[in-house]
Amino acid sequence: MYYESMQNPLIYVICGPTATGKSDHAVELALKVNGEVISADSRQIYRGMDLGTGKITTEEMKGVPHHLLDIRNPDEDFSVEEYQKLAFEKIEEILSRGKTPIICGGTGYYIQSITDNIIFQDIPKNERLRAQLEEKSIEELKEVLSQIPKEEGAKTDTENKRRIIRAIEIGTFLGKIPAIQKGPQKYDFDFTYLDFPDEILKNRIEKRLEKRLGLGMVQEVKKLHEEGLSWQRLESFGLEYKYIAEFLQGKTSQEDMTELIKLKSWQYAKRQRTWFRRDDRIKWKIG
């Protein structure tokens, strides 16, 4: 448990790598503390992206209100700045009802935007630049990003295409990649970090993938494309969506698709660990 001053409203934070049971833990906590859950997952905000993102079902919610799920269509852009604004609004709304906010998810930057009250600069979108950058691979984008000067302490998630593009957009506008600036905080946070030893987590990732495939995850991606979402856009979401989209286009076999999702999910889990390890407020607990 972590507490700063305990003079401010208390917000619970459930975080950790993928496949560690964060959603279930948040629901059980909410039932104990009269809480409501605010999702901190950068893909679960999109409608129709359910199995591929591991979105909690209505039954699994057990009557606990959940927020910031299914708030955008998958062809719409959504930024961490927008997430922060909406999350703060939800926190205040939940507190005004005498309930306890619980932030739950594995998107570290979304969580940090709240717990550090990151100050975002108002940089306008550059649609022409975005269109040019969308045509590039992640490796090509990394090369573009490397040419932009960075302030000391500036960081970018270089495995997320949309965040690289936004970083380039900001860097092009400012002439540099700025370091994170933190604003004053009016909440106290109680962090719970969930994780497992490597072999157990790998097994959980594999079992979860098998279950989702059995429930129709390939069909989910196919339906999204049939409803108008481009293959390029689907691939930009990474992990399940990228490799299933490639399979549906005949670029890879079903066996290779499955193995790639397992491998990339494990690599993603390790990156999540690295992100959360930077925050000394988080007390590590390997289950």
Side-chain angles (χ1 to χ4, degrees), residues 54-262:
K55 193 177 297 175
I56 190 170
T57 65
T58 301
E59 183 180 3
E60 290 167 340
M61 290 179 187
K62 298 181 180 178
V64 172
H66 280 62
H67 306 278
L68 303 191
L69 298 171
D70 300 324
I71 59 173
R72 289 288 188 278
N73 291 324
D75 59 350
E76 297 177 301
D77 289 328
F78 188 79
S79 68
V80 66
E81 295 97 324
E82 292 174 278
Y83 173 80
Q84 183 197 55
K85 179 178 181 294
L86 293 175
F88 276 139
E89 289 175 356
K90 287 299 178 184
I91 286 172
E92 289 299 316
E93 177 189 318
I94 293 167
L95 290 171
S96 72
R97 295 197 298 271
K99 298 289 198 72
T100 303
I102 301 169
I103 298 171
C104 174
T107 302
Y109 198 24
Y110 277 23
I111 292 173
Q112 186 186 10
S113 75
I114 301 301
T115 59
D116 282 347
N117 190 16
I118 293 175
I119 299 173
F120 293 103
Q121 302 192 48
D122 187 17
I123 307 300
K125 295 179 181 179
N126 185 331
E127 298 295 352
R128 179 178 296 181
L129 176 62
R130 286 189 177 197
Q132 295 171 353
L133 296 175
E134 282 288 354
E135 300 299 321
K136 298 182 181 294
S137 68
I138 281 187
E139 292 306 315
E140 290 170 329
L141 289 172
K142 288 180 182 179
E143 178 60 29
V144 174
L145 184 66
S146 71
Q147 303 304 312
I148 303 174
K150 297 178 178 62
E151 288 185 354
E152 185 177 353
K155 296 183 182 297
T156 301
D157 181 355
T158 55
E159 299 300 324
N160 185 303
K161 185 173 183 178
R162 286 171 290 163
R163 289 186 196 151
I164 301 175
I165 290 174
R166 179 57 177 166
I168 294 171
E169 186 177 52
I170 291 171
T172 301
F173 184 86
L174 296 176
K176 61 183 178 181
I177 307 295
I180 288 176
Q181 297 182 40
K182 302 177 183 180
Q185 189 55 265
K186 62 178 182 179
Y187 308 114
D188 291 313
F189 296 97
D190 178 343
F191 290 84
T192 297
Y193 174 86
L194 303 180
D195 205 342
F196 292 91
D198 287 1
E199 289 307 314
I200 294 177
L201 184 56
K202 284 181 182 179
N203 183 258
R204 288 176 67 93
I205 288 170
E206 292 181 6
K207 294 297 184 184
R208 184 186 64 174
L209 175 59
E210 292 170 6
K211 179 180 178 180
R212 291 181 185 176
L213 288 171
L215 289 172
M217 187 162 60
V218 172
Q219 290 73 20
E220 176 178 284
V221 178
K222 183 178 180 182
K223 181 181 178 183
L224 286 167
H225 179 64
E226 290 173 345
E227 291 176 346
L229 205 59
S230 70
W231 292 126
Q232 183 183 45
R233 178 63 171 169
L234 282 163
E235 290 176 15
S236 76
F237 289 116
L239 298 175
E240 299 86 354
Y241 293 95
K242 174 179 173 61
Y243 298 107
I244 291 175
E246 290 182 352
F247 164 66
L248 290 172
Q249 293 172 83
K251 294 180 178 179
T252 187
S253 67
Q254 185 168 359
E255 181 180 357
D256 286 345
M257 172 199 79
T258 302
E259 291 306 311
L260 278 167
I261 294 173
K262 289 178 183 177

Side-chain angles (χ1 to χ4, degrees), residues 30-53:
L31 293 172
K32 294 177 182 176
V33 300
N34 192 26
E36 298 187 13
V37 178
I38 300 172
S39 172
D41 187 295
S42 63
R43 300 189 303 170
Q44 292 185 4
I45 60 144
Y46 293 112
R47 302 179 186 100
M49 294 175 60
D50 302 327
L51 290 172
T53 65

